[in-house]
Amino acid sequence: TEHGTADRKPHIMNIALSILIIVAYPQTTRSFASEGLSTRRKRLRIKMSSWNDTWSDILNGGPKRWKVDDVEAKQKALTHITDAISSSDNTPLRILCPLAGDDPFVHYAWSQGHDVTAIDLVPAALKAMRLQFGENSDEDWSSTSRTSGTVWKHKSGRATLYQGDMLMRRPELQSSFDVIYDKDSFGALNRDMRRAYCQRLSEFIKGDGVVYVEVKNKESGREFGPPYHVEKDDLMEETSFGCAFDYVK
């Protein structure tokens, strides 16, 4: 995957909080090898039934698990992102949120004037997200069925939700995004899914884009997951972000 000119690479930023925050810029001189990805596709496919059950429990009052719904946390995340983008004209950003669930960041970034796209497998999670935009979801959103799933578009023209497998190829999203906001999706995946996941992100981001990653920084049980304890070395392995992104901080 090409990412802009040869002297520009994507970056990653790292801030020590209760979670680890990473910002990454895509590399321009390297790319993922495609061998084996298609043959492993079936084995890597995200399991629909287990995630449906998990979200059903969450939305019916069960434990929130990994969810962080604090709007102040989303405000801080967007500030980190805009600080990492070198732009002097305050141009609205195109932001992708993979495996978004019903994360409030999507609505918050939209409310600040940005163009947001989210991808998630679970219909109930995306329905909950649509309700954040107002109770008239049937009137404010239109849907289109595709072989890769259902695509929802908000009447504002600045919010798009893909209901389907994050690991599928989506040519229409190639080199489309200034920012990818990963709210610990990387750490929530099984380790053998990380390569395909990072491959997709490298395809979707622009050459001068930024990947913002929040990950769990566990005090104990670091060997167990998902969600897994994640550090810089895990993110930057050659089979993860390391093959196509540069670490910033």
Side-chain angles (χ1 to χ4, degrees):
T1 303
E2 290 293 324
H3 291 291
T5 59
D7 59 350
R8 186 69 172 96
K9 298 181 180 181
H11 300 79
I12 289 191
M13 177 181 74
N14 194 341
I15 300 175
L17 300 173
S18 58
I19 50 178
L20 192 65
I21 299 175
I22 306 294
V23 173
Y25 297 129
Q27 293 179 352
T28 59
T29 56
R30 303 163 71 190
S31 63
F32 282 84
S34 60
E35 305 89 68
L37 282 178
S38 59
T39 59
R40 296 168 62 208
R41 178 72 181 79
K42 183 176 181 180
R43 182 168 63 89
L44 292 173
R45 185 176 291 117
I46 300 171
K47 298 296 189 295
M48 177 71 166
S49 59
S50 61
W51 282 112
N52 268 334
D53 292 343
T54 298
W55 273 102
S56 178
D57 184 50
I58 291 172
L59 295 173
N60 283 295
K64 288 190 173 184
R65 297 159 170 92
W66 65 88
K67 281 169 56 64
V68 178
D69 292 333
D70 181 10
V71 175
E72 184 176 344
K74 309 307 173 182
Q75 294 171 345
K76 290 179 179 178
L78 187 58
T79 298
H80 287 309
I81 288 169
T82 54
D83 286 349
I85 296 288
S86 56
S87 174
S88 58
D89 58 3
N90 295 318
T91 302
L93 301 172
R94 288 205 68 196
I95 304 175
L96 172 66
C97 306
L99 302 178
D102 65 349
D103 194 299
F105 176 87
V106 176
H107 177 262
Y108 176 71
W110 174 84
S111 74
Q112 300 305 298
H114 300 291
D115 184 306
V116 293
T117 297
I119 303 176
D120 200 88
L121 190 65
V122 181
L126 292 181
K127 181 178 180 179
M129 180 179 287
R130 293 196 299 275
L131 290 173
Q132 296 174 22
F133 288 75
E135 295 183 359
N136 297 322
S137 60
D138 290 340
E139 300 175 8
D140 294 345
W141 293 86
S142 60
S143 64
T144 304
S145 295
R146 302 182 181 179
T147 55
S148 58
T150 303
V151 181
W152 294 84
K153 290 186 177 293
H154 190 259
K155 66 179 183 180
S156 66
R158 293 189 294 105
T160 305
L161 311 181
Y162 281 77
Q163 178 190 311
D165 191 344
M166 170 61 207
L167 301 184
M168 292 191 70
R169 290 189 180 278
R170 300 181 189 275
E172 72 275 18
L173 299 183
Q174 184 86 18
S175 302
S176 293
F177 297 99
D178 305 295
V179 176
I180 294 175
Y181 167 82
D182 180 328
K183 48 91 187 160
D184 198 28
S185 298
F186 178 89
L189 293 172
N190 288 327
R191 291 187 175 96
D192 65 352
M193 301 176 76
R194 290 177 177 176
R195 176 184 175 87
Y197 175 74
C198 294
Q199 162 75 38
R200 292 292 171 256
L201 297 191
S202 76
E203 295 169 1
F204 296 158
I205 198 167
K206 295 179 181 178
D208 58 351
V210 168
V211 178
Y212 171 95
V213 186
E214 295 182 353
V215 298
K216 296 292 185 295
N217 190 3
K218 295 182 179 181
E219 293 185 359
S220 61
R222 293 188 169 192
E223 66 274 24
F224 301 110
Y228 291 99
H229 173 84
V230 176
E231 298 193 16
K232 172 186 173 182
D233 289 347
D234 301 307
L235 290 162
M236 301 312 296
E237 286 182 356
E238 287 296 303
T239 53
S240 296
F241 286 107
C243 190
F245 295 85
D246 281 344
Y247 181 89
V248 179
K249 63 178 180 176

